[in-house]
Amino acid sequence: MKNGLYIVATPIGNIGDISPRAQSTLREADVIACEDTRISKKLFSLLGISLQKPFITLHDHNEDTQAAILIRLIAEEGKSVALISDAGSPLISDPGYKLIRRCRQAGIYITSLPGCCALICALQLSGLPTNRFMFAGFIPNKDKARRDTFTSLKDIDSTLIFYETANRIVKTLSVAAEVFGSREICVCREITKMFEESLNGTAPELIEHFSTHEPKGEMVLMIAPPADDSGADAAIDVDSLLRQKMQTTSLKTAVSDIVKTYGLNKNEVYEHALRIKNEA
């Protein structure tokens, strides 16, 4: 096996998804660079691959130091190193960027073995537009940072893709409702596993679902692109119509009636209604 760095994708759930080429590379590599040695050794045991080789940790807090060690092993000792993450494709919201950059600068041989990637699988399952999409990584934990992130991406004409945890999904959907209005959202969870699930709807509809079904597992959150607002009629006082309607009916019904009567864009009217409700 040629000395160099091999970027190897591993399963995100179903062990059967690892490719024969990936298994062969993991068997033959002299060194395994991984996030968590415990998780990686469990994978090797399930695959029947020997653990009698060095496992070197590489994560956000030690990448600079470990990159230098791995480069020395490859360049000076002629070793082959396989880079893996805990699950999925390395570097996708996982460490490795600095290592790759430094290997390239050092003229080290690098190759990538394609395989599982949660964001691609989720996008395929979502039913949302796939011709243009943007992966924005993990959603910030802090309330202000979460809202600022959504606001900064709101007008991008692409399907937006995020990673989120089950314990924060309802809070995140609540902010999404404020920022994205009635845009279609898809939440995929437990991809490739027994309880795989893809749920589509507006943010309020998904919040209602998770209020009666405890959210579990790692999640991919996807938000549809903004709709074409060209049909909106600026001469219509949408705010006044909504305020009048919402005195005697629900927000959802008020939006529906106005959209149907005046032929306006549903997303835009819904955003007006949410703003009026929040002001009240």
Side-chain angles (χ1 to χ4, degrees):
M1 186 175 182
K2 181 178 179 178
N3 70 306
L5 182 67
Y6 297 77
I7 306 169
V8 183
T10 57
I12 57 177
N14 192 315
I15 193 71
D17 290 335
I18 191 166
S19 71
R21 182 179 171 216
Q23 292 190 63
S24 175
T25 299
L26 295 180
R27 284 194 178 92
E28 296 178 23
D30 298 313
V31 178
I32 305 299
C34 58
E35 288 182 86
D36 188 322
T37 58
R38 295 167 299 179
I39 293 175
S40 297
K41 288 181 178 179
K42 181 179 179 180
L43 172 65
F44 273 55
S45 296
L46 290 170
L47 295 172
I49 301 176
S50 171
L51 300 176
Q52 299 306 307
K53 61 180 69 186
F55 284 73
I56 297 178
T57 59
L58 181 81
H59 49 68
D60 289 333
H61 303 295
N62 72 358
E63 188 171 352
D64 285 322
T65 303
Q66 298 298 71
I69 294 173
L70 293 169
I71 289 171
R72 178 178 55 79
L73 289 172
I74 297 169
E76 298 180 15
E77 300 185 21
K79 302 292 187 182
S80 56
V81 176
L83 172 65
I84 62 176
S85 60
D86 287 346
S89 295
L91 282 83
I92 308 302
S93 276
D94 279 328
Y97 151 74
K98 295 177 182 177
L99 172 62
I100 303 303
R101 188 170 183 83
R102 291 177 64 174
C103 282
R104 289 177 61 86
Q105 292 169 347
I108 288 172
Y109 170 75
I110 309 170
T111 190
S112 175
L113 283 67
C116 298
C117 182
L119 75 94
I120 298 300
C121 292
L123 182 62
Q124 292 169 327
L125 292 168
S126 69
L128 299 181
T130 59
N131 60 315
R132 183 185 297 172
F133 61 90
M134 176 180 175
F135 176 56
F138 283 97
I139 297 172
N141 186 26
K142 302 294 184 181
D143 291 341
K144 184 179 185 304
R146 183 188 293 109
R147 181 172 279 97
D148 288 347
T149 295
F150 282 172
T151 302
S152 69
L153 301 174
K154 176 183 176 182
D155 296 322
I156 294 177
D157 186 20
S158 300
T159 296
L160 302 177
I161 307 176
F162 304 90
Y163 286 163
E164 186 55 291
T165 58
N167 63 317
R168 295 205 302 256
I169 190 64
V170 171
K171 182 180 287 188
T172 291
L173 286 169
S174 298
V175 178
E178 298 174 16
V179 176
F180 296 105
S182 61
R183 280 198 218 174
E184 184 179 0
I185 294 176
C186 179
V187 174
C188 286
R189 53 179 291 273
E190 298 291 88
I191 300 171
T192 77
K193 300 178 184 178
M194 182 181 295
F195 299 106
E196 176 180 286
E197 185 177 44
S198 296
L199 301 164
N200 287 60
T202 63
E205 288 170 345
L206 292 173
I207 291 171
E208 183 178 356
H209 170 83
F210 287 121
S211 68
T212 56
H213 300 78
E214 182 185 0
K216 295 180 180 180
E218 297 299 320
M219 298 185 168
V220 182
L221 171 71
M222 292 156 289
I223 301 171
D228 181 6
D229 293 338
S230 58
D233 184 352
I236 297 174
D237 189 345
V238 177
D239 281 10
S240 295
L241 290 170
L242 283 168
R243 287 192 174 93
Q244 183 178 357
K245 283 275 186 182
M246 289 166 64
Q247 289 179 2
T248 57
T249 189
S250 68
L251 181 150
K252 185 175 180 180
T253 301
V255 170
S256 178
D257 288 348
I258 291 172
V259 167
K260 188 179 299 183
T261 301
Y262 297 96
L264 301 179
N265 180 272
K266 183 178 179 180
N267 289 344
E268 184 178 1
V269 176
Y270 192 87
E271 289 179 11
H272 277 269
L274 282 177
R275 177 170 52 77
I276 292 170
K277 182 180 179 180
N278 290 336
E279 287 174 357

